[in-house]
Amino acid sequence: MEKLVIKGGNPLKGEVNIQGAKNSVLPILAASLLCEGQCIIHNVPIITDVDMMLEILRSLGVIWQRQGHTLIVDSSKANKYQIDDKLMRSMRSSIFLLGALLGRFNNALVSRPGGCDIGERTTDLHEKGLKSLGAQFGEKGYMVKAPNGLKGAEVYLDYPSVGATENIMLAACKAKGVTVIKNAAREPEIVDLQMFLNKMGAKVSGAGTAEIRIIGVDKLNGCEHRIIPDRIVAGTVLLATAMTKGDVLLKDVIPEHLELIIIKLREMGADIAIGENEIRIKGTYPLKPVDIRTAPYPGFPTDMQPIMMVGLAIAEGTSIVTENVFDARFKHVGEFRRMGADIKISNKTAVIKGVKRLIGTYVEATDLRAGAALVIGGLAGENTTIIEKVEHIDRGYEKIEELFGRLGGNIIRIKE
Ligand code: EPZ
């Protein structure tokens, strides 16, 4: 079992390059299955969710090679459309493979992805969209086939689901005719996916808006692409710097992807300067309270909710955080309370009364972003924080102890 041991109190200082976006590379790896050629993908973070996706792709006959942060993926010999149940359950994002498998083979045999620690995470919108294109869902598990191939259709999403939008885009690329996705999710990772698909020869337009149009093509070829920076990892570093009264230059970021996060941090009192693809932040003390309501992009990102909450836990005053995207994304509150946070929950709302400081103790990561929030709580807190179940954090953060250690944080990983 690995743990992180953090001694709080050091202000974070220096420069850091932000890793590639987990939520961009995962659908893009699924998309590489659509082409019978070789894709070269740069700026791929070294995280366990990518390892899981690569293991699934290998089980389908995809050949890949990792060279540092570059992946060479060759799907020309992919010849299977059944994904082992254990692999499917290992990672929720494997659901994107449904659209890619249908797009490549007109067949898919996958199990329903499990729920997870942040809520129900149903897949009704994925199914509705793929059925509109002609996919037939079997009873048991997810035997999905398109015996007459996939045909373009107009799909209205009742909720702008990121995964459902991406799954339909993947299935529609080689469908016959035109597909229009209405009320599509608008996240930057969807724009990155569109860029990748079009480099392979697809005809996708409108990503980043609520209406995405896909004109089906017969064949897709290999391409080369660089993954966009991870806006949530960048937001995590920004909060950590603000909370430790540090001074950090973030490089290789896209400031417009962090617009609302920057607005909120400025309201909290942080001094932020924006460059072309850099952000300089200086933390001040005490942080001011702010109210947060999570929403689909361009609203405040739900993935930043636990991270922002730990910052507000030491703000001077009361903040209100409303979680509108997931139905159970407050599991981290119990662990924050163990560090002395004063947080009351009622339904989707958390009322956070700022305390002077968080006190280090034993805590455990309940999911990826909650784990990251505990890390920055420990960096800003007093005494020593010991975080267990760090495997959750490693799913999305590349060597988080090095990320913050390089900035002067006193954080080490121990194996027990
Ligand atoms: C993606 O998950 C991200 N994951 C999540 O990041 C992120 O929190 C989420 O989008 C919202 O931004 C990846 O991109 C790999 P959704 P996804 O479908 O696609 C409901 C992280 O920490 N819904 O937009 O699963 C669902 O229950 C992770 O990096 C349906 O009702 O998100 C949820 O309440 C966590 N029916 C809401 O929509 C469906 O068919 C948002 O889900 C699909 C979703």
Side-chain angles (χ1 to χ4, degrees), residues 213 232 252-253 290 305 318 359 403:
R213 196 179 174 78
I232 308 300
D252 194 9
V253 288
V290 296
Q305 179 257 95
T318 300
I359 312 292
L403 170 67

Side-chain angles (χ1 to χ4, degrees), residues 22-23 121-125 161-163 303 325-326 369:
K22 163 178 93 76
N23 293 347
R121 301 188 80 176
T122 52
T123 54
D124 56 313
L125 299 173
S161 154
V162 173
D303 292 347
V325 175
F326 286 105
R369 306 300 174 188

Side-chain angles (χ1 to χ4, degrees), residues 153-195:
E154 184 169 294
V155 183
Y156 174 76
L157 291 179
D158 303 283
Y159 177 88
S161 154
V162 173
T165 301
E166 292 166 339
N167 236 336
I168 298 162
M169 285 167 75
L170 295 176
C173 280
K174 292 171 72 179
K176 294 225 171 341
V178 180
T179 297
V180 179
I181 306 172
K182 292 186 177 255
N183 196 28
R186 299 165 50 189
E187 273 69 2
E189 294 76 25
I190 293 181
V191 178
D192 206 26
L193 177 61
Q194 170 177 283
M195 186 104 68

Side-chain angles (χ1 to χ4, degrees), residues 40-80:
I40 301 173
I41 308 168
H42 300 289
N43 201 30
V44 175
I46 299 172
I47 54 177
T48 54
D49 267 12
V50 168
D51 299 341
M52 286 313 310
M53 182 60 92
L54 289 171
E55 201 179 326
I56 294 173
L57 290 176
R58 189 199 300 268
S59 75
L60 299 171
V62 175
I63 299 161
W64 52 266
Q65 196 192 359
R66 195 204 280 272
Q67 291 164 359
H69 291 102
T70 293
L71 266 179
I72 301 165
V73 184
D74 186 334
S75 300
S76 45
K77 297 205 173 40
N79 56 5
K80 293 193 192 69

